[in-house]
Amino acid sequence: MFKILKYSFFDLVRSRWSYVYFLFYLLLAATLLFLNNDLSKAVITLMNVIIILVPLIGTIFGVMYFYNSKEFTELLLAQPIKRSSIFIGLYLGVAVSLSMSLLLGIGVPFLLYGLTQSAAIWDFSLLLITGVFLTFIFTGIAFNISLSNENKIKGFGYAIMMWLFLAVIYDGLFLMSLVFFEDYPLDKLSLIGTMLNPIDLSRTLILLKLDISALLGYTGAVFKTFFGTNQGLIISISVLFLWVLFPAIRMVRKSNKKDF
Amino acid sequence: MIKVQDLHKKFQKNIVLSGVNLELKESGIYSILGPNGSGKTTLIKSILGMVLPTKGSIKINDKSIKAAWDYRKQIDYLPQIANFPSNLKVKELISMIKDLRGNSKRDKELINLFGVEKFLDKKVGTLSGGMKQKTNIVLAFMFDSPILILDEPTTGLDPVALIHLKELIQKEKERGKLILITSHIMSFVEEITDEIVFLLEGNVHFEGNISELKKQTSEQNFERAIASLLISNHV
């Protein structure tokens, strides 16, 4: 598995797109910091970008890399290597290299800015951790979608629809259901609703830590009263873990049953 | 060495293999023949574990291959269409496969034999069909495993490389290997093979050596004998 991870990782690190992605974050973080002069505001703006963009990039990269490495997987499948190691290796290769671009792109300007002496370092670390979680989650889901669809165009379409649903449509439906059922107690429902969407969960997690009640919204407030800040943090991180785990497990199962 | 029992394979509604029984005990060169779509590649891919059978079992050295992977250490495979990651150089591809499978002592010898050293530094994506096939051959023969599976090994080869390939296959046979070949080039098969396995519509239709085939079809010419196997079944 580690050998495959190594090859797919270096293959991706050499590709142009990793650099584009890295430079984009570098520019974004640098502009935000040096124009804003307020670290926690920069963190919030970054959060809004990361929470939408990281899933999108993870999804697109995951699908693209999977379909592009069809030849590589076919070559590997005839070798004495476990199927699960092949796919987990490829998956980790994509997820790790994307996470690297994210961490370096955002981390470097913040370090240069003198983050280590600032109180915002924990908020900032949490932001990066969530970004890494989201990368792993959405790359995993993208791999699942492409494993289940032989047809590239279909796979790509489903993946983009999945992202659109979780990033945009889900929130709308969620809000509408809250308005529609406002006469009923909605605490539990909204909690479950948040946990079922990794993007919402990440947003709540970061806002809980930043402790900005104005931005927290209904679910965030419920989260806070229900779990308190610390317990809320632990629970949402554990749920994010599950979100990483499930796609990975399904990926192994699916790949073991597939014909190549 | 290879034992296939009652092998069935369906792709959705398309039945490709319907009860293939095959036992290859001794070393030697076996050719799997059959018209297009008769299930040759599916049979080979089932033995390699790339295609999972709907029903039936495959044993290699008396061990079932179901859910196993390390039996592939005993198999070298030459795929029909050489699909390699196109952004790698030939050199990198060879060293990658070596890294994944363990060391090979024969790669230099094979690279010289097929003249691959001329394009070691080229990217795989820019190679011609024949160059790709030569690289493919080097990768397949590199590891010296007891079982060799060659799917259309002659595709795109020039006459010199073809002669080298034939000699190489004969040498491997003399060293006690089991070699499984599919090909549509009948002259190649006739020259090289010991046993023929003829697949038709997902079943083994004929199994035996060339003289038995000629006797059964009462044809003197091997190519015609094969053709008559096909025609007699279609009438």
Side-chain angles (χ1 to χ4, degrees):
Chain A
M1 184 182 92
F2 289 106
K3 280 183 180 167
I4 297 175
L5 167 61
K6 186 180 84 187
Y7 282 109
S8 68
F9 178 75
F10 283 115
D11 184 28
L12 277 161
V13 165
R14 278 192 300 183
S15 99
R16 188 159 31 112
W17 290 106
S18 305
Y19 290 102
V20 173
Y21 190 49
F22 162 71
L23 286 174
F24 170 78
Y25 279 121
L26 194 72
L27 267 174
L28 179 77
T31 9
L32 278 176
L33 273 177
F34 294 106
L35 292 182
N36 229 330
N37 271 326
D38 182 344
L39 210 55
S40 64
K41 264 189 196 157
V43 170
I44 291 171
T45 318
L46 261 181
M47 177 202 82
N48 283 321
V49 176
I50 283 181
I51 257 162
I52 299 298
L53 200 69
V54 164
L56 179 66
I57 300 288
T59 309
I60 292 181
F61 251 77
V63 175
M64 262 185 4
Y65 191 74
F66 185 91
Y67 286 124
N68 273 344
S69 49
K70 198 170 177 270
E71 287 98 18
F72 187 44
T73 24
E74 272 172 18
L75 181 66
L76 293 176
L77 281 164
Q79 307 296 333
I81 305 168
K82 255 195 222 172
R83 275 193 183 189
S84 52
S85 326
I86 297 175
F87 289 99
I88 293 286
L90 287 177
Y91 159 63
L92 288 180
V94 178
V96 170
S97 74
L98 285 180
S99 306
M100 282 261 296
S101 298
L102 175 77
L103 291 178
L104 288 177
I106 296 185
V108 168
F110 272 81
L111 282 178
L112 290 179
Y113 189 76
L115 178 86
T116 34
Q117 286 130 38
S118 140
I121 184 160
W122 291 114
D123 300 345
F124 178 72
S125 321
L126 188 68
L127 183 73
L128 289 185
I129 291 170
T130 334
V132 172
F133 264 121
L134 285 175
T135 306
F136 274 80
I137 292 169
F138 280 86
T139 314
I141 297 177
F143 263 64
N144 271 290
I145 291 175
S146 19
L147 255 177
S148 308
N149 289 287
E150 272 305 301
N151 187 330
K152 257 188 209 184
I153 308 288
K154 254 191 187 169
F156 222 90
Y158 286 138
I160 295 292
M161 256 155 58
M162 179 274 300
W163 170 80
L164 199 67
F165 178 76
L166 289 179
V168 184
I169 300 170
Y170 190 91
D171 273 353
L173 290 177
F174 193 55
L175 263 175
M176 260 163 51
S177 68
L178 288 184
V179 173
F180 198 72
F181 296 109
E182 64 182 338
D183 298 340
Y184 302 91
L186 288 171
D187 302 17
K188 293 238 170 81
L189 183 78
S190 65
L191 273 182
I192 294 168
T194 309
M195 290 194 186
L196 287 179
N197 182 348
I199 298 183
D200 272 358
L201 189 64
S202 313
R203 186 184 293 130
T204 315
L205 172 66
I206 296 169
L207 291 175
L208 266 180
K209 179 74 186 75
L210 289 175
D211 211 6
I212 309 165
S213 28
L215 287 176
L216 212 46
Y218 182 71
T219 5
V222 172
F223 233 88
K224 201 170 172 186
T225 46
F226 207 81
F227 296 122
T229 303
N230 279 332
Q231 207 187 350
L233 281 179
I234 293 167
I235 286 180
S236 37
I237 288 194
S238 333
V239 176
L240 281 179
F241 254 117
L242 291 180
W243 264 104
V244 176
L245 212 61
F246 277 125
I249 291 171
R250 188 185 171 270
M251 184 161 70
V252 170
R253 289 230 176 117
K254 181 80 195 168
S255 69
N256 279 333
K257 284 190 196 136
K258 200 174 143 92
D259 293 320
F260 288 91
Chain B
M1 282 170 115
I2 301 179
K3 194 176 180 187
V4 179
Q5 270 177 319
D6 194 31
L7 194 72
H8 291 254
K9 180 65 198 175
K10 260 196 305 195
F11 290 107
Q12 276 101 38
K13 280 180 185 162
N14 182 13
I15 298 168
V16 181
L17 298 177
S18 49
V20 172
N21 285 298
L22 190 64
E23 195 168 358
L24 312 176
K25 276 185 195 154
E26 293 155 45
S27 63
I29 302 174
Y30 298 85
S31 293
I32 302 178
L33 304 178
N36 304 111
S38 56
K40 300 185 295 286
T41 299
T42 306
L43 177 61
I44 283 178
K45 283 191 166 179
S46 306
I47 294 173
L48 282 160
M50 292 167 80
V51 166
L52 309 169
T54 321
K55 211 178 112 190
S57 76
I58 299 171
K59 283 180 184 160
I60 290 190
N61 294 335
D62 295 324
K63 268 191 202 154
S64 170
I65 63 160
K66 205 174 172 189
W69 55 274
D70 51 350
Y71 76 92
R72 284 198 286 268
K73 280 179 192 152
Q74 299 166 42
I75 303 179
D76 283 336
Y77 172 52
L78 181 93
Q80 184 172 19
I81 302 158
N83 276 335
F84 300 130
S86 52
N87 53 346
L88 286 179
K89 285 179 188 166
V90 175
K91 203 165 59 182
E92 292 170 323
L93 182 68
I94 292 174
S95 64
M96 180 180 86
I97 299 293
K98 265 164 77 179
D99 182 29
L100 287 170
R101 265 194 92 147
N103 237 322
S104 149
K105 290 175 199 117
R106 302 181 72 196
D107 54 328
K108 295 237 166 58
E109 172 199 334
L110 288 165
I111 287 171
N112 282 330
L113 183 62
F114 287 98
V116 174
E117 73 271 355
K118 273 174 266 168
F119 46 90
L120 271 180
D121 283 316
K122 278 197 183 168
K123 292 222 165 155
V124 180
T126 62
L127 296 184
S128 77
M131 287 155 128
K132 254 187 210 166
Q133 187 66 359
K134 285 178 184 172
T135 315
N136 204 359
I137 290 173
V138 171
L139 288 176
F141 281 85
M142 215 159 67
F143 293 102
D144 222 353
S145 310
I147 298 173
L148 250 171
I149 297 179
L150 312 172
D151 199 351
E152 296 281 355
T154 56
T155 322
L157 290 184
D158 55 52
V160 180
L162 193 59
I163 291 170
H164 285 318
L165 178 69
K166 282 180 198 161
E167 284 170 2
L168 191 62
I169 293 175
Q170 287 295 352
K171 252 191 241 162
E172 297 303 296
K173 177 195 155 189
E174 279 153 26
R175 294 170 63 200
K177 289 191 183 183
L178 193 157
I179 301 160
L180 208 58
I181 298 175
T182 75
S183 180
H184 285 296
I185 315 289
M186 287 305 135
S187 58
F188 174 71
V189 173
E190 188 177 12
E191 199 180 327
I192 208 165
T193 195
D194 298 327
E195 287 271 319
I196 290 167
V197 178
F198 193 84
L199 283 184
L200 198 68
E201 284 158 10
N203 265 308
V204 178
H205 190 65
F206 172 86
E207 202 183 338
N209 60 30
I210 293 179
S211 55
E212 280 167 9
L213 176 75
K214 283 180 180 165
K215 207 188 273 171
Q216 190 185 322
T217 54
S218 43
E219 289 277 358
Q220 291 310 304
N221 178 302
F222 175 64
E223 204 161 0
R224 280 176 184 275
I226 291 288
S228 82
L229 265 186
L230 271 173
I231 293 162
S232 67
N233 198 275
H234 281 305
V235 171

